[in-house]
């Protein structure tokens, strides 16, 4: 719905092994953490292994598996979440960042079940040391 705003400008950080970027909700209403069903994160075509991906929101960090039952933490359209993963990267220079999200919209039920949206965004930005 709002894919061009998923990746926050100028938020790419790296410690050389783990890389982070801030992401915004591509939906107009808040969603519980459990609504995040799949996440892909890559820089310069190098994808973070799924088991290394971490999602931080409301000062709490989760693996994707841990988010499945989290219904008491909400992602608001005005708040950024921090997405991190094991992507080796050097600070400096322009990098192509890609984030893909698959989200359930629990309050919209269709003939096929709960609505699931798929959105992605790519941006070029410089990595800074974290």
């Amino acid at each position: 719905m709002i894919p061009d705003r998923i990746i926050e400008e100028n938020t790419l950080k790296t410690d050389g092994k783990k890389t982070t970027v801030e992401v915004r909700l591509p939906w107009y209403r808040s969603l519980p953490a459990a609504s995040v069903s799949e996440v892909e994160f890559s820089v310069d075509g190098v994808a973070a292994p799924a088991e290394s991906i971490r999602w931080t929101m409301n000062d709490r960090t989760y693996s994707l598996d841990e988010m499945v039952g989290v219904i008491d933490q909400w992602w608001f359209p005005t708040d950024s979440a921090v997405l991190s993963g094991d992507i080796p990267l050097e600070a400096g220079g322009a990098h192509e960042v890609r984030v893909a999200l698959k989200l359930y919209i629990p309050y919209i039920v269709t003939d096929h079940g709960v609505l699931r949206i798929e959105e992605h965004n790519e941006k070029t930005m410089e990595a800074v040391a974290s």
Side-chain angles (χ1 to χ4, degrees):
M1 174 162 207
I2 315 169
D4 61 324
R5 299 168 120 187
I6 292 173
I7 300 171
E8 283 282 331
E9 292 286 347
N10 304 314
T11 61
L12 184 63
K13 297 178 183 175
T14 185
D15 66 5
K17 296 178 184 178
K18 186 170 284 293
T19 300
T20 67
V21 70
E22 293 181 20
V23 295
R24 298 294 287 267
L25 179 62
W27 189 248
Y28 64 97
R29 289 181 62 190
S30 303
L31 295 174
S35 295
V36 179
S37 68
E38 291 182 44
V39 177
E40 296 174 9
F41 174 36
S42 65
V43 179
D44 298 332
V46 177
E51 66 276 2
S52 78
I53 292 178
R54 296 293 177 268
W55 186 273
T56 302
M57 62 185 235
N58 304 329
D59 296 321
R60 296 183 182 180
T61 301
Y62 307 92
S63 69
L64 297 179
D65 289 341
E66 291 171 330
M67 290 177 63
V68 170
V70 180
I71 57 171
D72 64 338
Q73 294 297 311
W74 288 74
W75 189 15
F76 298 95
T78 56
D79 296 340
S80 295
V82 177
L83 177 61
S84 65
D86 293 345
I87 301 174
L89 188 67
E90 296 294 322
H95 299 280
E96 184 68 27
V97 180
R98 183 176 194 282
V99 173
L101 302 174
K102 293 180 183 176
L103 308 169
Y104 285 106
I105 311 301
Y107 42 78
I108 300 179
V109 180
T110 69
D111 290 339
H112 307 287
V114 175
L115 178 65
R116 184 174 182 211
I117 62 171
E118 300 179 16
E119 300 287 358
H120 69 277
N121 187 213
E122 296 95 16
K123 287 202 169 122
T124 300
M125 62 181 79
E126 184 173 337
V128 297
S130 57

